[in-house]
mmCIF file of all heavy atoms in Angstrom:
data_model
loop_
_atom_site.group_PDB
_atom_site.id
_atom_site.type_symbol
_atom_site.label_atom_id
_atom_site.label_comp_id
_atom_site.label_asym_id
_atom_site.label_seq_id
_atom_site.Cartn_x
_atom_site.Cartn_y
_atom_site.Cartn_z
ATOM 1 N N GLY A 11 4.364 -15.495 -15.726
ATOM 2 C CA GLY A 11 5.175 -15.101 -14.565
ATOM 3 C C GLY A 11 5.219 -16.230 -13.555
ATOM 4 O O GLY A 11 4.190 -16.635 -13.016
ATOM 5 N N LEU A 12 6.441 -16.752 -13.351
ATOM 6 C CA LEU A 12 6.614 -17.883 -12.436
ATOM 7 C C LEU A 12 7.654 -17.542 -11.378
ATOM 8 O O LEU A 12 8.534 -18.344 -11.066
ATOM 9 C CB LEU A 12 7.056 -19.130 -13.213
ATOM 10 C CG LEU A 12 6.017 -19.700 -14.190
ATOM 11 C CD1 LEU A 12 6.658 -20.759 -15.085
ATOM 12 C CD2 LEU A 12 4.826 -20.289 -13.442
ATOM 13 N N GLY A 13 7.556 -16.330 -10.852
ATOM 14 C CA GLY A 13 8.464 -15.926 -9.775
ATOM 15 C C GLY A 13 7.843 -16.278 -8.437
ATOM 16 O O GLY A 13 7.185 -17.312 -8.300
ATOM 17 N N THR A 14 8.027 -15.400 -7.467
ATOM 18 C CA THR A 14 7.520 -15.667 -6.121
ATOM 19 C C THR A 14 6.028 -16.000 -6.143
ATOM 20 O O THR A 14 5.597 -17.031 -5.613
ATOM 21 C CB THR A 14 7.742 -14.415 -5.239
ATOM 22 O OG1 THR A 14 9.121 -14.074 -5.306
ATOM 23 C CG2 THR A 14 7.339 -14.662 -3.794
ATOM 24 N N VAL A 15 5.234 -15.140 -6.761
ATOM 25 C CA VAL A 15 3.783 -15.309 -6.708
ATOM 26 C C VAL A 15 3.323 -16.423 -7.652
ATOM 27 O O VAL A 15 2.505 -17.284 -7.270
ATOM 28 C CB VAL A 15 3.062 -13.983 -7.023
ATOM 29 C CG1 VAL A 15 1.563 -14.136 -6.813
ATOM 30 C CG2 VAL A 15 3.586 -12.845 -6.155
ATOM 31 N N GLY A 16 3.863 -16.421 -8.874
ATOM 32 C CA GLY A 16 3.449 -17.435 -9.847
ATOM 33 C C GLY A 16 3.721 -18.840 -9.335
ATOM 34 O O GLY A 16 2.880 -19.749 -9.473
ATOM 35 N N SER A 44 4.316 -19.150 -18.766
ATOM 36 C CA SER A 44 5.330 -18.356 -19.454
ATOM 37 C C SER A 44 6.220 -17.669 -18.430
ATOM 38 O O SER A 44 5.731 -17.228 -17.380
ATOM 39 C CB SER A 44 4.646 -17.299 -20.333
ATOM 40 O OG SER A 44 5.616 -16.480 -20.951
ATOM 41 N N ALA A 45 7.489 -17.630 -18.708
ATOM 42 C CA ALA A 45 8.439 -16.831 -17.921
ATOM 43 C C ALA A 45 9.598 -16.524 -18.857
ATOM 44 O O ALA A 45 9.583 -16.943 -20.021
ATOM 45 C CB ALA A 45 8.888 -17.578 -16.675
ATOM 46 N N ARG A 46 10.599 -15.817 -18.360
ATOM 47 C CA ARG A 46 11.705 -15.449 -19.248
ATOM 48 C C ARG A 46 12.629 -16.624 -19.517
ATOM 49 O O ARG A 46 13.030 -16.891 -20.635
ATOM 50 C CB ARG A 46 12.523 -14.306 -18.623
ATOM 51 C CG ARG A 46 11.990 -12.945 -18.912
ATOM 52 C CD ARG A 46 12.802 -11.901 -18.233
ATOM 53 N NE ARG A 46 12.835 -12.102 -16.793
ATOM 54 C CZ ARG A 46 12.849 -11.130 -15.899
ATOM 55 N NH1 ARG A 46 12.873 -9.881 -16.305
ATOM 56 N NH2 ARG A 46 12.877 -11.377 -14.610
ATOM 57 N N ASN A 47 12.952 -17.347 -18.442
ATOM 58 C CA ASN A 47 14.009 -18.355 -18.535
ATOM 59 C C ASN A 47 13.434 -19.754 -18.335
ATOM 60 O O ASN A 47 13.104 -20.159 -17.222
ATOM 61 C CB ASN A 47 15.060 -18.023 -17.460
ATOM 62 C CG ASN A 47 16.213 -19.002 -17.454
ATOM 63 O OD1 ASN A 47 16.183 -20.011 -18.180
ATOM 64 N ND2 ASN A 47 17.215 -18.706 -16.649
ATOM 65 N N LYS A 50 15.267 -22.272 -15.816
ATOM 66 C CA LYS A 50 15.446 -21.915 -14.396
ATOM 67 C C LYS A 50 14.775 -22.955 -13.495
ATOM 68 O O LYS A 50 13.663 -23.406 -13.778
ATOM 69 C CB LYS A 50 14.781 -20.551 -14.150
ATOM 70 C CG LYS A 50 15.200 -19.864 -12.878
ATOM 71 C CD LYS A 50 14.293 -18.641 -12.669
ATOM 72 C CE LYS A 50 15.056 -17.366 -12.564
ATOM 73 N NZ LYS A 50 14.196 -16.195 -12.330
ATOM 74 N N ARG A 52 12.680 -23.967 -10.470
ATOM 75 C CA ARG A 52 11.657 -23.227 -9.738
ATOM 76 C C ARG A 52 11.055 -24.018 -8.593
ATOM 77 O O ARG A 52 10.170 -23.532 -7.897
ATOM 78 C CB ARG A 52 10.553 -22.773 -10.696
ATOM 79 C CG ARG A 52 11.081 -21.898 -11.828
ATOM 80 C CD ARG A 52 10.011 -21.499 -12.823
ATOM 81 N NE ARG A 52 10.639 -20.926 -14.020
ATOM 82 C CZ ARG A 52 10.952 -19.654 -14.164
ATOM 83 N NH1 ARG A 52 10.707 -18.805 -13.197
ATOM 84 N NH2 ARG A 52 11.530 -19.216 -15.266
ATOM 85 N N ASP A 63 7.291 -18.862 -24.600
ATOM 86 C CA ASP A 63 8.321 -17.846 -24.324
ATOM 87 C C ASP A 63 7.701 -16.456 -24.279
ATOM 88 O O ASP A 63 8.170 -15.575 -23.561
ATOM 89 C CB ASP A 63 9.402 -17.870 -25.418
ATOM 90 C CG ASP A 63 10.329 -19.054 -25.247
ATOM 91 O OD1 ASP A 63 10.634 -19.405 -24.084
ATOM 92 O OD2 ASP A 63 10.714 -19.652 -26.268
ATOM 93 N N PRO A 65 4.611 -14.111 -23.399
ATOM 94 C CA PRO A 65 3.364 -14.109 -22.616
ATOM 95 C C PRO A 65 2.152 -13.619 -23.410
ATOM 96 O O PRO A 65 1.020 -14.002 -23.118
ATOM 97 C CB PRO A 65 3.679 -13.167 -21.449
ATOM 98 C CG PRO A 65 4.843 -12.338 -21.886
ATOM 99 C CD PRO A 65 5.607 -13.168 -22.858
ATOM 100 N N LEU A 80 1.400 -12.354 -13.668
ATOM 101 C CA LEU A 80 2.227 -12.236 -12.452
ATOM 102 C C LEU A 80 3.671 -11.902 -12.807
ATOM 103 O O LEU A 80 4.620 -12.442 -12.225
ATOM 104 C CB LEU A 80 2.147 -13.549 -11.648
ATOM 105 C CG LEU A 80 0.724 -13.926 -11.192
ATOM 106 C CD1 LEU A 80 0.687 -15.325 -10.611
ATOM 107 C CD2 LEU A 80 0.195 -12.910 -10.188
ATOM 108 N N MET A 81 3.822 -11.019 -13.785
ATOM 109 C CA MET A 81 5.180 -10.635 -14.199
ATOM 110 C C MET A 81 5.602 -9.327 -13.543
ATOM 111 O O MET A 81 6.759 -9.135 -13.225
ATOM 112 C CB MET A 81 5.231 -10.477 -15.721
ATOM 113 C CG MET A 81 4.994 -11.784 -16.458
ATOM 114 S SD MET A 81 4.962 -11.590 -18.246
ATOM 115 C CE MET A 81 3.412 -10.766 -18.485
ATOM 116 N N GLY A 82 4.664 -8.395 -13.386
ATOM 117 C CA GLY A 82 4.989 -7.107 -12.776
ATOM 118 C C GLY A 82 5.410 -6.074 -13.800
ATOM 119 O O GLY A 82 5.646 -6.391 -14.975
ATOM 120 N N GLY A 83 5.479 -4.812 -13.321
ATOM 121 C CA GLY A 83 5.839 -3.696 -14.205
ATOM 122 C C GLY A 83 4.577 -3.013 -14.710
ATOM 123 O O GLY A 83 3.598 -3.684 -15.067
ATOM 124 N N PRO A 87 5.568 -6.058 -20.964
ATOM 125 C CA PRO A 87 4.872 -7.335 -21.181
ATOM 126 C C PRO A 87 3.609 -7.502 -20.331
ATOM 127 O O PRO A 87 2.643 -8.120 -20.779
ATOM 128 C CB PRO A 87 5.911 -8.398 -20.791
ATOM 129 C CG PRO A 87 7.128 -7.698 -20.364
ATOM 130 C CD PRO A 87 6.971 -6.225 -20.560
ATOM 131 N N ALA A 105 -1.719 -9.432 -9.988
ATOM 132 C CA ALA A 105 -1.293 -8.925 -8.673
ATOM 133 C C ALA A 105 -0.565 -7.597 -8.857
ATOM 134 O O ALA A 105 0.100 -7.112 -7.948
ATOM 135 C CB ALA A 105 -0.343 -9.939 -8.023
ATOM 136 N N ASN A 106 -0.729 -7.007 -10.045
ATOM 137 C CA ASN A 106 0.150 -5.930 -10.487
ATOM 138 C C ASN A 106 -0.411 -4.541 -10.150
ATOM 139 O O ASN A 106 -1.137 -3.929 -10.933
ATOM 140 C CB ASN A 106 0.334 -6.089 -12.000
ATOM 141 C CG ASN A 106 1.430 -5.235 -12.543
ATOM 142 O OD1 ASN A 106 1.752 -4.186 -11.979
ATOM 143 N ND2 ASN A 106 2.009 -5.658 -13.646
ATOM 144 N N LYS A 107 -0.033 -4.051 -8.964
ATOM 145 C CA LYS A 107 -0.557 -2.735 -8.537
ATOM 146 C C LYS A 107 0.000 -1.600 -9.381
ATOM 147 O O LYS A 107 -0.694 -0.606 -9.631
ATOM 148 C CB LYS A 107 -0.241 -2.485 -7.053
ATOM 149 C CG LYS A 107 1.228 -2.549 -6.658
ATOM 150 C CD LYS A 107 1.560 -3.824 -5.961
ATOM 151 C CE LYS A 107 3.029 -3.945 -5.640
ATOM 152 N NZ LYS A 107 3.362 -5.168 -4.930
ATOM 153 N N ALA A 132 -4.791 -9.539 -5.132
ATOM 154 C CA ALA A 132 -3.416 -9.686 -4.647
ATOM 155 C C ALA A 132 -2.594 -8.409 -4.794
ATOM 156 O O ALA A 132 -1.510 -8.295 -4.231
ATOM 157 C CB ALA A 132 -2.721 -10.813 -5.399
ATOM 158 N N GLY A 302 1.149 -8.972 4.044
ATOM 159 C CA GLY A 302 0.945 -8.147 2.859
ATOM 160 C C GLY A 302 1.791 -8.573 1.680
ATOM 161 O O GLY A 302 1.742 -7.939 0.620
ATOM 162 N N ALA A 303 2.576 -9.614 1.823
ATOM 163 C CA ALA A 303 3.458 -10.029 0.739
ATOM 164 C C ALA A 303 3.891 -11.472 0.951
ATOM 165 O O ALA A 303 3.519 -12.102 1.937
ATOM 166 C CB ALA A 303 4.683 -9.109 0.682
ATOM 167 N N GLY A 304 4.679 -11.971 -0.001
ATOM 168 C CA GLY A 304 5.220 -13.323 0.114
ATOM 169 C C GLY A 304 4.445 -14.310 -0.736
ATOM 170 O O GLY A 304 3.318 -14.057 -1.155
ATOM 171 N N THR A 308 0.228 -14.010 -1.096
ATOM 172 C CA THR A 308 -0.147 -13.344 -2.350
ATOM 173 C C THR A 308 -0.828 -14.338 -3.288
ATOM 174 O O THR A 308 -1.836 -14.023 -3.935
ATOM 175 C CB THR A 308 1.088 -12.696 -3.006
ATOM 176 O OG1 THR A 308 1.827 -11.996 -1.993
ATOM 177 C CG2 THR A 308 0.692 -11.717 -4.074
HETATM 178 P P1 NAP O 1 9.174 -12.025 -9.520
HETATM 179 O O1 NAP O 1 9.509 -12.993 -8.475
HETATM 180 O O2 NAP O 1 10.190 -11.045 -9.969
HETATM 181 O O3 NAP O 1 8.681 -12.867 -10.790
HETATM 182 C C1 NAP O 1 8.395 -12.273 -12.019
HETATM 183 C C2 NAP O 1 8.164 -13.386 -13.022
HETATM 184 O O4 NAP O 1 7.811 -12.807 -14.270
HETATM 185 C C3 NAP O 1 9.397 -14.242 -13.268
HETATM 186 O O5 NAP O 1 9.018 -15.594 -13.364
HETATM 187 C C4 NAP O 1 9.901 -13.768 -14.627
HETATM 188 O O6 NAP O 1 10.543 -14.784 -15.379
HETATM 189 C C5 NAP O 1 8.607 -13.388 -15.293
HETATM 190 N N1 NAP O 1 8.778 -12.409 -16.362
HETATM 191 C C6 NAP O 1 9.318 -11.171 -16.254
HETATM 192 N N2 NAP O 1 9.324 -10.588 -17.464
HETATM 193 C C7 NAP O 1 8.797 -11.483 -18.334
HETATM 194 C C8 NAP O 1 8.571 -11.499 -19.723
HETATM 195 N N3 NAP O 1 8.893 -10.447 -20.476
HETATM 196 N N4 NAP O 1 8.015 -12.598 -20.272
HETATM 197 C C9 NAP O 1 7.684 -13.658 -19.520
HETATM 198 N N5 NAP O 1 7.893 -13.701 -18.187
HETATM 199 C C10 NAP O 1 8.438 -12.637 -17.618
HETATM 200 O O7 NAP O 1 7.887 -11.183 -9.142
HETATM 201 P P2 NAP O 1 6.802 -11.509 -8.023
HETATM 202 O O8 NAP O 1 7.330 -11.099 -6.709
HETATM 203 O O9 NAP O 1 6.306 -12.888 -8.205
HETATM 204 O O10 NAP O 1 5.667 -10.439 -8.385
HETATM 205 C C11 NAP O 1 4.762 -10.657 -9.445
HETATM 206 C C12 NAP O 1 3.674 -9.584 -9.375
HETATM 207 O O11 NAP O 1 2.999 -9.698 -8.136
HETATM 208 C C13 NAP O 1 4.177 -8.142 -9.443
HETATM 209 O O12 NAP O 1 3.228 -7.341 -10.114
HETATM 210 C C14 NAP O 1 4.252 -7.734 -7.983
HETATM 211 O O13 NAP O 1 4.141 -6.330 -7.781
HETATM 212 C C15 NAP O 1 3.039 -8.446 -7.448
HETATM 213 N N6 NAP O 1 3.073 -8.702 -6.002
HETATM 214 C C16 NAP O 1 4.108 -9.377 -5.456
HETATM 215 C C17 NAP O 1 4.107 -9.648 -4.100
HETATM 216 C C18 NAP O 1 5.226 -10.412 -3.451
HETATM 217 O O14 NAP O 1 5.185 -10.602 -2.242
HETATM 218 N N7 NAP O 1 6.226 -10.883 -4.198
HETATM 219 C C19 NAP O 1 3.046 -9.212 -3.312
HETATM 220 C C20 NAP O 1 1.977 -8.540 -3.904
HETATM 221 C C21 NAP O 1 2.006 -8.291 -5.262
HETATM 222 P P3 NAP O 1 11.899 -15.502 -14.867
HETATM 223 O O15 NAP O 1 11.527 -16.230 -13.598
HETATM 224 O O16 NAP O 1 12.242 -16.449 -15.956
HETATM 225 O O17 NAP O 1 12.886 -14.413 -14.663
#
Side-chain angles (χ1 to χ4, degrees):
L12 294 169
T14 306
V15 186
S44 177
R46 274 178 302 215
N47 180 354
K50 197 189 237 181
R52 302 177 193 272
D63 284 323
L80 300 171
M81 295 177 288
N106 192 333
K107 57 257 176 179
T308 315

